[in-house]
Amino acid sequence: MHDALPPGARLTRPSKWHVTLVFLGEAPIDAVASVLSALPAAGSFSLRLSGGGRFGSAAWAGVDGELDALGRLRERVRAALTDAGFPSDSRPYQPHLTVTYRGDGAVRAALAGHASPPWTVDDFVLVESNDGDYRPLRSWPV
C-alpha cells in the first residue's frame, strides 16, 4: 500500500498499521488474555485493503474480502470480553486501517482507487498501546 500513497505524505508508522477488532482501553492484560485463550479457532480467511475514507481529519484504508468472517471473529471476541466484564465500544464496527491523522486530500484520493493484494488472516493479536507505541502481547489462531 505504501507505493500507492503520494511521496512525502505524513503517514502513521507502518508498525502501527492494524485492523482493530475491539478497543478496551485500560484492562488487566492477564485477565483479557485468559478470556481470549478460551476462544475456539474458527478458521482463517482472506482480506484486502480497498478504497478509503475519513474520520474527522484521519484518513483510512477500507477493508474488503471475507468481511462476514471478520465480523464473526470480531463478534466472538467482543462477546467473550463483554461476558467476562470487559465491555467495549458499542458503535457500529467499521473495519479500517488508519493511514494518517492529517487532513491530506492527496492521501484520501490515492486510497479511493487503491486495492491491495489479499492476505490471509490466520491469527489475531492482543496489543498494548503505550504513549502511541503498540506492543504485541499474545496471539491466537482465528
Side-chain angles (χ1 to χ4, degrees), residues 37-129:
S37 292
L39 290 176
S44 61
F45 54 93
S46 179
L47 296 176
R48 68 185 181 103
L49 300 177
S50 179
R54 65 186 257 198
F55 298 127
S57 63
W60 49 263
V63 176
D64 200 0
E66 295 181 68
L67 295 179
D68 288 343
L70 176 62
R72 286 189 301 272
L73 171 62
R74 192 261 183 188
E75 184 54 27
R76 285 181 23 237
V77 169
R78 191 203 63 74
L81 290 168
T82 299
D83 290 350
F86 303 107
S88 60
D89 191 345
S90 62
R91 291 181 288 184
Y93 184 55
Q94 173 70 51
H96 66 280
L97 185 147
T98 301
V99 175
T100 184
Y101 289 102
R102 312 240 179 231
D104 188 330
V107 169
R108 287 195 309 275
L111 290 171
H114 177 68
S116 76
W119 75 89
T120 300
V121 177
D122 51 20
D123 67 350
F124 68 97
V125 179
L126 176 60
V127 174
E128 178 180 50
S129 175

Side-chain angles (χ1 to χ4, degrees), residues 19-31:
V19 176
T20 300
L21 292 174
V22 176
F23 177 79
L24 292 176
E26 294 290 324
I29 293 167
D30 290 340

